[in-house]
Amino acid sequence: MRYWKRAGALLAAGALLLGLTACGSSITDDATVYVQGLLDANYKGEISQDYIDVVEDMTQEQAQADHENNLEIEAGYLLSILAVELPTDAVTQRAQEIVDEIYSHAQYTVADAEQLSSGDIAVEVTVSPIEIIPLLTEDQMAAAWTSVKQASGASDEAIAAMSDEEYQVLDEQYANALLDQLEALIPQITYGQDQVIMLQMKEEDGYYSRSEEHTSELQSRETISYAVFCLK
């Protein structure tokens, strides 16, 4: 078995340095296990022993922490797209739980890794992009904010003059209204056209680093589609 060195095993974190030590299995076998395990761990929280065994210094607890960190990053991005400006801890936690549920529906296929003539390793990943945010329309988002404003009885001018603490009360109501709607849409999740991304890992001085360009492409294809605008 060859060990792939852990260096913050987060898909969202960009390139990883992967160290190899000769332990019996092929580089390509370990590369396939690594990519499949990384996707499963980060998106679905499914952590296989094969993945633990092939990544140096990886533990079940660390892999779970990586998954939770990925959810935190993605939830923060989701809230920013929904124009939630001052999320409370409760709103952030709820957003993470919803992202976790959405990503439990992630669909991707990892092909067997190949070693190229250059010595680099290539792993083809086929992704079915998750499309749920477009189901939340601009009208629904605008209506949520209008409803919160009307219930508060505050004018636009009064809202603009609010302190952060006062505004956060309205912001939390708005966030929860949208998260309610988003959660209700999960059973209606659809997928975009399959996308094929080639992850390439370059070798240098006995280490392999994942291409940041290819990693970013995979992240953008697999991550929730944010093709929506908020009128708040």
Side-chain angles (χ1 to χ4, degrees):
M1 180 180 295
R2 296 172 186 270
Y3 289 91
W4 297 70
K5 186 176 180 182
R6 182 184 180 277
L10 265 181
L11 192 63
L16 293 179
L17 274 180
L18 310 172
L20 301 177
T21 60
C23 295
S25 64
S26 71
I27 294 175
T28 52
D29 287 347
D30 285 351
T32 304
V33 169
Y34 170 76
V35 173
Q36 182 71 56
L38 183 65
L39 293 173
D40 290 346
N42 278 273
Y43 286 122
K44 298 183 177 182
E46 297 175 358
I47 304 162
S48 70
Q49 189 59 47
D50 286 345
Y51 176 62
I52 297 295
D53 291 344
V54 84
V55 181
E56 186 178 15
D57 298 329
M58 177 61 74
T59 64
Q60 186 80 22
E61 292 75 17
Q62 185 58 62
Q64 182 62 36
D66 288 342
H67 171 64
E68 292 171 1
N69 194 15
N70 200 42
L71 293 179
E72 182 179 352
I73 292 169
E74 196 67 28
Y77 189 59
L78 170 63
L79 291 173
S80 70
I81 290 297
L82 297 180
V84 178
E85 299 173 53
L86 299 171
T88 62
D89 290 344
V91 164
T92 298
Q93 179 61 38
R94 188 175 178 207
Q96 290 178 24
E97 292 169 357
I98 290 174
V99 168
D100 197 17
E101 175 61 24
I102 292 171
Y103 271 136
S104 72
H105 298 273
Q107 295 183 0
Y108 46 83
T109 303
V110 178
D112 290 340
E114 297 181 2
Q115 189 158 22
L116 307 178
S117 59
S118 63
D120 296 349
I121 297 174
V123 183
E124 182 180 281
V125 180
T126 302
V127 173
S128 301
I130 298 170
E131 294 188 347
I132 183 172
I133 301 300
L135 299 177
L136 190 63
T137 68
E138 291 182 30
D139 287 345
Q140 289 173 304
M141 296 173 71
W145 180 240
T146 298
S147 178
V148 167
K149 287 199 302 181
Q150 290 177 343
S152 73
S155 65
D156 288 340
E157 292 76 14
I159 291 174
M162 285 180 175
S163 67
D164 284 350
E165 291 77 12
E166 292 170 329
Y167 182 79
Q168 191 175 46
V169 174
L170 301 186
D171 201 45
E172 182 173 30
Q173 295 171 14
Y174 166 76
N176 280 318
L178 290 184
L179 292 175
D180 284 344
Q181 294 183 54
L182 189 59
E183 190 170 27
L185 289 170
I186 291 177
Q188 302 176 42
I189 278 179
T190 59
Y191 300 89
Q193 184 176 358
D194 284 355
Q195 304 290 322
V196 177
I197 300 97
M198 187 67 71
L199 287 180
Q200 192 163 333
M201 306 174 200
K202 302 186 72 66
E203 189 274 337
E204 184 176 358
D205 297 330
Y207 288 84
Y208 282 83
S209 59
R210 200 174 64 222
S211 163
E212 187 169 356
E213 176 184 356
H214 296 160
T215 299
S216 297
E217 182 181 7
L218 176 61
Q219 179 78 356
S220 66
R221 304 290 182 146
E222 182 59 44
T223 207
I224 306 164
S225 173
Y226 291 106
V228 69
F229 298 93
C230 180
L231 302 182
K232 180 179 174 184

